[in-house]
Amino acid sequence: MACDATGEFLGSLGSWSFVKELLVKILVDHKVGFEAFQQHQEDLLSVAFGPSLGCVLGHYSLRLAVLIFSHPAERWQQLQEEELPWHWASTVEVLQSGWPIFGLLGLIAYKLSRDGAGKGVVCDQPIESFRIRYEEVMLYGKEVPFSTDVENTADELLQRLQSNRTMGRMNRACLLGAGLPLMGYGASISCSARREPGLKQLLEKLLEDYEEVFLRPAAAVIPGVQHSSSVENLANLVSSGMWAAESLHLLQRISEAFNTSLSHESRRDDQVLVSVDPFEDQFHGYGLPAFTSHLWADSERFKVHEGLSCPDVMVARDSLPSVPFLGAIVYVDHEAGIGPGRDAGRLAEVLAKYRVVYLGVLAPQAATRCLSRWGTPPQQSRRVCAKVFDQEATWPAPSTLTVLHIPYASSSFAARSHSPLDLLKAGAGHAKKHFLAYMAYACVDHRDLLFDLLVQRAAAGTDLDAPVALSRCAGFRSQHRRQRRNHTRGVALSFLDEAVELLRPYRFALVFENKLVPGYVTEKIVNAFLAGCIPIYWGSRAVLEIFNPESFIYANDIQAEGRSNQ
């Protein structure tokens, strides 16, 4: 029976579906998930320890989530009293249910590892190597890559288990470590298994073997003794520290193969699923869900569903998919070319691995060179080199890459409260109180030197007040900083909105790009326009085709004519 059909009263929580989404959020975005849990804590506790009217996995998941927030001593006592997952359902059934039970257990195991659980355990070299391989996967949500050595090891394990249903005597940590190749292989094919019935059947058999030979014995009270002659205990399962944390985390990753949240009732067969990597908001992907929804708002063919790990199309900015999948990537670039990002490795490997539609600069594969380095070696080490276009990549773009010129100046609106139509309303005001503001976090020679020059000119008997630096960079000599970033927190919805508010009192804004690359036009000039400033801009000539050349000062032309001192 579906949990929402049980008729249980959940108070302000509304439905079991809401509870499930909240618990999944704890795994995907710890901070937001914890805040949501605390917001509904009273009702969550009431439901968790209240009578169950049929949704036993929902109640069980809630009790596990409560353990995450419990005092260590209370947590340990409750772990010894709590049931194991397979008391309620098999491993496959738990994963099919969508309840993040194994992910929550993995988080509990990680908390125990920070308290010292499992430390000092030494297993043989192959087992240790797999623990090291999957440690960052668990800690940072990194991709679980498919590799032939893991596949071969998993295949050898499965063949061995056909004739011998035990791994012999070994402690719990090493037993879970020995099973890591099975979990790593399963996680790496989970997206593919959603589309290939044969792979899904293989995965179900793998999970049955893993539960019988690895999970259940690891929960036994007496290490090394077959579970049929001993008592299983949840505290034992999670007390192996990182060994348990990694194993349970990978087990949760495999749930993507059984994700039935988008059934045929809610999705037509010809619809294309579009999603945003759930790890994006840990990087610079703020606003991507809104951007994604806007792109496909008028299309019945595409269905946008936030937070899926195995969609047909993944929209990404800094984060590649956490699991290999068979779809395409729409890469919304905010830099001057496809950066390595998380898990990407070299660009050639990324493009060979995925079909990529690139929204960004005109030449995403272009090579750049350092324009200049000014100052002493210590000063140089603290600054960012201004890079300029050098040449196109020596290797041709693969057929899987499609390039569309959509600069960050445009896509930045995904992370703003403003609309592009607001650019028509924001006129440059000549009655501004202050002269000029400079806002940059990455300190690059060419714009810091110009800021110094402007400060000197303003101080040389003119009626202009001194230019002001509003962020980390304040020139080489001037140090004119009146207001730091973050003073407008609570007023602005994002750091881009904050930048607009800080620039409002100034007539001019110095908005030089970090790089000079074809089509590289970022949020800086947009910030100035929205604040009603006159931008002084240095960067790609593509800006002249995007904005009215009469509405800003294009410093590249002044530089070319030798008028930089005027």
Side-chain angles (χ1 to χ4, degrees), residues 439 470-471 483-488 495-496 498-499 502:
M439 181 183 297
L470 299 177
S471 188
Q483 186 174 11
R484 292 179 179 272
R485 298 288 296 269
N486 300 324
H487 279 201
T488 56
F495 75 96
L496 294 174
E498 180 191 9
L502 286 171

Side-chain angles (χ1 to χ4, degrees), residues 170-190:
M170 62 174 66
N171 65 46
R172 286 188 292 269
C174 296
L175 180 62
L176 290 173
L180 280 173
L182 290 181
M183 293 296 93
Y185 173 65
S188 71
I189 64 170
S190 58

Side-chain angles (χ1 to χ4, degrees), residues 11 45 64 93 155 168 204 220 254 303-304 308 358 369 471 546:
L45 290 173
L64 295 181
E93 290 170 338
D155 186 57
E204 290 176 352
I254 296 175
K303 183 179 181 65
V304 178
L308 295 180
Y358 173 86
R369 59 182 172 80
S471 188
I546 300 172

Side-chain angles (χ1 to χ4, degrees), residues 78-91:
Q78 293 170 21
L79 281 171
Q80 296 183 72
E81 299 171 358
E82 185 58 81
E83 298 286 355
L84 285 151
W86 45 85
H87 175 81
W88 312 106
S90 69
T91 298

Side-chain angles (χ1 to χ4, degrees), residues 50 67 75 78 136 153 206 219 278 297 307 326 330 379 383 403 508:
L67 291 179
R75 181 191 302 129
Q78 293 170 21
E136 286 196 346
T153 304
L206 181 152
L326 303 179
V330 175
Q379 289 175 321
R383 312 185 86 75
V403 177
F508 295 92

Side-chain angles (χ1 to χ4, degrees), residues 63-283:
R63 294 199 299 273
L64 295 181
V66 171
L67 291 179
I68 295 173
F69 297 92
S70 301
H71 185 276
E74 295 177 1
R75 181 191 302 129
W76 183 250
Q77 179 62 37
Q78 293 170 21
L79 281 171
Q80 296 183 72
E81 299 171 358
E82 185 58 81
E83 298 286 355
L84 285 151
W86 45 85
H87 175 81
W88 312 106
S90 69
T91 298
V92 172
E93 290 170 338
V94 169
L95 294 178
Q96 289 173 336
S97 73
W99 288 101
I101 287 173
F102 294 112
L104 295 170
L105 285 173
L107 195 51
I108 292 171
Y110 176 65
K111 282 184 169 289
L112 293 177
S113 75
R114 298 186 67 177
D115 295 334
K119 290 186 177 177
V121 176
V122 178
C123 305
D124 62 38
Q125 193 275 332
I127 292 177
E128 288 282 355
S129 68
F130 280 109
R131 182 189 64 78
I132 295 170
R133 179 192 293 246
Y134 293 117
E135 186 170 17
E136 286 196 346
V137 167
M138 191 211 72
L139 292 177
Y140 305 114
K142 288 201 168 187
E143 177 184 337
V144 186
F146 175 86
S147 60
T148 54
D149 65 319
V150 174
E151 181 186 24
N152 291 337
T153 304
D155 186 57
E156 291 173 4
L157 268 174
L158 291 173
Q159 290 185 30
R160 171 183 171 179
L161 297 178
Q162 289 179 359
S163 57
N164 187 359
R165 305 298 291 177
T166 177
M167 294 298 293
R169 296 183 62 87
M170 62 174 66
N171 65 46
R172 286 188 292 269
C174 296
L175 180 62
L176 290 173
L180 280 173
L182 290 181
M183 293 296 93
Y185 173 65
S188 71
I189 64 170
S190 58
C191 281
S192 300
R194 286 183 59 183
R195 293 169 169 83
E196 300 179 23
L199 270 183
K200 193 169 184 178
Q201 291 176 4
L202 170 65
L203 208 49
E204 290 176 352
K205 180 62 170 62
L206 181 152
L207 290 168
E208 291 171 1
D209 289 343
Y210 184 74
E211 178 184 322
E212 178 185 347
V213 180
F214 296 94
L215 278 183
R216 287 178 176 266
V221 173
I222 307 172
V225 178
Q226 293 186 22
H227 66 271
S228 59
S229 60
S230 59
V231 179
E232 297 174 354
N233 183 287
L234 185 59
N236 291 323
L237 178 63
V238 295
S239 64
S240 300
M242 287 297 291
W243 302 93
E246 291 178 27
S247 301
L248 294 165
H249 176 82
L250 290 172
L251 186 54
Q252 185 63 46
R253 290 284 192 98
I254 296 175
S255 65
E256 287 298 336
F258 304 97
N259 189 339
T260 58
S261 60
L262 291 170
S263 62
H264 290 292
E265 287 76 18
S266 62
R267 175 198 179 189
R268 298 201 318 263
D269 290 338
D270 63 340
Q271 277 188 321
V272 177
L273 282 180
V274 183
S275 192
V276 178
D277 190 324
F279 289 97
E280 277 291 351
D281 57 4
Q282 298 178 16
F283 297 87

Side-chain angles (χ1 to χ4, degrees), residues 32 199 435:
V32 174
L199 270 183
F435 168 45

